[in-house]
Amino acid sequence: MRITPRSAARRVGRALRVAREAVRSVVAPGALVQEQQPETAPDPADVFGPDEMPTPEEIERAVADYAAACEETRAAERAKRRAKKLAGRLPAGRYGRWQVARVPSSRQTPDLEAIRATYARLGLGDVPMRACAPSLRVTEANAEGTSTTKVPAETPRLELAAA
């Protein structure tokens, strides 16, 4: 492997970053693990106006339903991962009334390593990135004003009428 001035500069830069982080971890280790306040994003443009606000009961019921659905989704994802541990190791074939097969995915995703390599080769700097849309997080507030993610088992369900 031939060392070019550019690759040597990258190696030196990487070594300096590693050394700087090592010194920081010895001098101020607490700064590396300090608990940070959760970041919040601004409200989207289509939030309810003062004259459009639903009743507090409707809001509470909808938010409770959302929180319960999120918990159900997490539980289902955990069950899916547990089942996939066994199913993923099975050879293709028929198992009782179930057929196990592997099919190619039609989804595609950018090859970030190839993109980074192309940017580096062309001297374009870092790959431009953009933030994802903010996530909606619903937590239940307790008497002290702090919140918890626990959802009570007796959470009422919002029944949606069929259109």
Side-chain angles (χ1 to χ4, degrees), residues 9-163:
R10 276 197 306 258
R11 286 182 183 188
V12 169
R14 188 177 311 129
L16 290 173
R17 280 191 303 276
V18 169
R20 182 179 60 232
E21 292 300 319
V23 168
R24 253 185 70 204
S25 68
V26 171
V27 173
L32 298 175
V33 294
Q34 285 178 349
E35 195 170 314
Q36 296 177 353
Q37 289 287 36
E39 227 177 274
T40 58
D43 287 334
D46 64 343
V47 295
F48 287 117
D51 55 332
E52 303 173 298
M53 286 296 284
T55 65
E57 294 80 20
E58 289 175 312
I59 294 170
E60 190 167 344
R61 188 172 49 246
V63 171
D65 285 344
Y66 180 81
C70 287
E71 185 55 39
E72 289 171 10
T73 301
R74 283 189 289 273
E77 285 295 325
R78 286 190 297 268
K80 182 179 165 184
R81 282 192 300 271
R82 256 191 324 271
K84 190 175 179 182
K85 279 185 182 178
L86 182 137
R89 294 189 60 199
L90 294 172
R94 185 177 176 132
Y95 298 92
R97 59 185 191 146
W98 299 101
Q99 180 73 31
V100 174
R102 286 170 181 78
V103 295
S105 174
S106 62
R107 288 180 43 190
Q108 292 185 331
T109 184
D111 182 351
L112 290 180
E113 290 303 315
I115 293 169
R116 284 187 187 103
T118 301
Y119 266 64
R121 187 179 73 248
L122 298 175
L124 297 174
D126 291 335
V127 175
M129 303 294 280
R130 64 181 173 140
C132 296
S135 299
L136 180 63
R137 179 176 295 158
V138 172
T139 56
E140 186 178 12
N142 59 25
E144 292 85 39
T146 57
S147 61
T148 176
T149 55
K150 300 249 185 213
V151 177
E154 67 278 357
T155 301
R157 295 275 184 241
L158 176 62
E159 297 300 323
L160 299 175

